[in-house]
Amino acid sequence: MQHLITTVDFTNDEVLKIFDDATIFSDLQSSSILSGKLVVTLFFENSTRTRSSFEIASKRLGAEVVNLEVQTSSTKKGETVEDTVANLNAMKPDAIIVRHSKCGLPASLIEHVNCPILNAGDGTNAHPTQALLDLFTIYKHFDKKIDGKKLAMIGDIKTSRVASSNLALLPRFGVEPILVAPEHFMPNKNFKKVQFLKDVIDDVDVVMSLRTQLERHEKIFYKNLEEFGKDYCVTKESFGNRNILLLHPGPVNRNIDISDEMLKDSRCKVLEQVTNGVAVRMAILKKLILKQ
Ligand code: NCD
């Protein structure tokens, strides 16, 4: 049984096969390849894109989807998540998609199920489908020629699970991350580090902006986010006329992560990432449920 807990669960060949399938699914049209299958989503943390993306991906392939309403579920009556999942598993779903604030929770569920577990984000640990869709967006844009590309990752890198999954995945395909952050948002990882975007903007092909994860901070670093935005907001001024791709996993804090003007700029691919996210998740569901 194959699960997707972190990007390490897929070999490079498997990732490339997912990208081939995602390319076929790119128009997001309906098919019936997962007809008769049942996908359960279990989101213990807020989500707009990821949950709807998984649901739409499942439905586009003909699967049925049950979204467990965590607010009204028995975990509110003291049942453990493991027991909730074992009970759901007893109803014979074909995949369970989980998001939880606790690092490692999706991995701990594997021993309680007979179907694939897909990690839709666990605390600050991992968000594998986001990293795969980010890499797919880069791969498509550069017509598969991504070896040697440089990506500036800017913002709250330390607490972001999107960052952590991307930092594990991108180098496997020859994309070099360069970390752009103030000291308190810098992870303890062995990549090139700079303080400001202007220090590397001339050398990079892609900029990935990240949201400040206020809900995960134990300390207050800024009186207000505008203070952070003054130095770290990606603007037309910082991009100039350079031919660079701008990514963000969403939700974007406008004029703090990226300026209104840059969000409208054709180099900003935030909505393309969302479309690619459905195609990549279709490919992943196909792989894990049909084992092909
Ligand atoms: C991210 C997440 O939840 O980790 N959003 C997403 O899934 N697209 C990023 C974030 O919350 O900042």
Side-chain angles (χ1 to χ4, degrees):
M1 176 72 55
Q2 195 173 15
H3 305 272
L4 177 57
I5 304 299
T6 71
T7 51
V8 172
D9 290 321
F10 292 157
T11 64
N12 284 18
D13 283 348
E14 286 177 310
V15 170
L16 293 175
K17 171 73 169 75
I18 284 169
F19 289 176
D20 284 346
D21 282 347
T23 305
I24 296 169
F25 294 139
S26 271
D27 57 1
L28 309 190
Q29 290 312 296
S30 301
S31 84
S32 55
I33 62 169
L34 292 187
S35 150
K37 304 292 183 191
L38 178 65
V39 172
V40 174
T41 73
L42 198 51
F43 278 66
F44 291 91
E45 261 192 0
N46 296 344
S47 172
T48 307
R49 268 153 299 272
T50 307
R51 179 169 143 173
S52 50
S53 181
F54 267 118
E55 182 166 356
I56 289 168
S58 307
K59 289 186 168 167
R60 285 298 194 204
L61 295 178
E64 295 201 62
V65 180
V66 171
N67 293 307
L68 188 83
E69 292 310 328
V70 170
Q71 293 311 320
T72 53
S73 78
S74 286
T75 40
K76 291 275 165 201
K77 298 185 193 169
E79 187 175 64
T80 65
V81 181
E82 284 79 3
D83 284 339
T84 302
V85 167
N87 277 270
L88 288 170
N89 180 67
M91 300 182 211
K92 313 259 181 248
D94 296 285
I96 300 177
I97 297 162
V98 190
R99 168 172 285 192
H100 201 280
S101 57
K102 193 169 153 205
C103 295
L105 185 113
S108 74
L109 299 176
I110 288 175
E111 58 182 298
H112 301 281
V113 296
N114 312 102
C115 69
I117 294 282
L118 286 85
N119 179 6
D122 61 329
T124 57
N125 186 47
H127 193 345
T129 56
Q130 181 68 44
L132 287 162
L133 79 88
D134 292 338
L135 181 64
F136 180 60
T137 304
I138 299 168
Y139 181 80
K140 243 173 98 170
H141 181 83
F142 291 107
D143 205 14
K144 305 185 180 177
K145 296 177 200 65
I146 56 174
D147 187 27
K149 298 285 182 225
K150 291 187 163 74
L151 176 144
M153 190 177 277
I154 174 168
D156 184 2
I157 305 170
K158 192 174 184 174
T159 8
S160 164
R161 57 192 174 205
V162 174
S164 135
S165 283
N166 267 296
L167 292 175
L169 183 66
L170 297 169
R172 284 171 51 190
F173 290 86
V175 179
E176 184 200 338
I178 300 172
L179 312 185
V180 184
E183 185 127 357
H184 46 269
F185 286 167
M186 203 53 105
N188 186 12
K189 291 195 171 154
N190 201 11
F191 294 105
K192 179 172 172 181
K193 295 174 181 154
V194 298
Q195 201 182 348
F196 298 112
L197 188 57
K198 66 175 170 46
D199 302 332
V200 282
I201 192 77
D202 284 320
D203 302 328
V204 298
D205 307 283
V206 185
V207 170
M208 179 183 288
S209 163
L210 299 167
R211 183 180 66 89
T212 307
Q213 310 278 301
L214 289 179
E215 71 280 21
R216 302 189 206 283
H217 295 163
E218 281 158 14
K219 233 169 96 180
I220 296 174
F221 294 108
Y222 295 95
K223 276 203 306 291
N224 53 54
L225 277 182
E226 281 71 25
E227 283 297 307
F228 168 78
K230 269 188 207 151
D231 286 328
Y232 289 95
C233 184
V234 178
T235 62
K236 204 128 188 170
E237 208 184 0
S238 49
F239 255 50
N241 295 324
R242 297 173 186 87
N243 184 17
I244 302 175
L245 207 62
L246 176 59
L247 305 180
H248 190 298
V252 175
N253 282 329
R254 279 181 175 264
N255 301 311
I256 289 163
D257 306 340
I258 302 178
S259 69
D260 285 340
E261 198 182 16
M262 262 327 275
L263 281 166
K264 283 190 270 181
D265 193 287
S266 61
R267 292 168 291 180
C268 175
K269 304 294 178 194
V270 171
L271 295 178
E272 210 172 295
Q273 283 172 274
V274 175
T275 305
N276 288 339
V278 176
V280 166
R281 290 185 176 104
M282 287 167 84
I284 293 170
L285 287 163
K286 169 180 172 262
K287 174 178 172 53
L288 294 182
I289 295 177
L290 296 185
K291 303 175 183 59
Q292 52 177 253

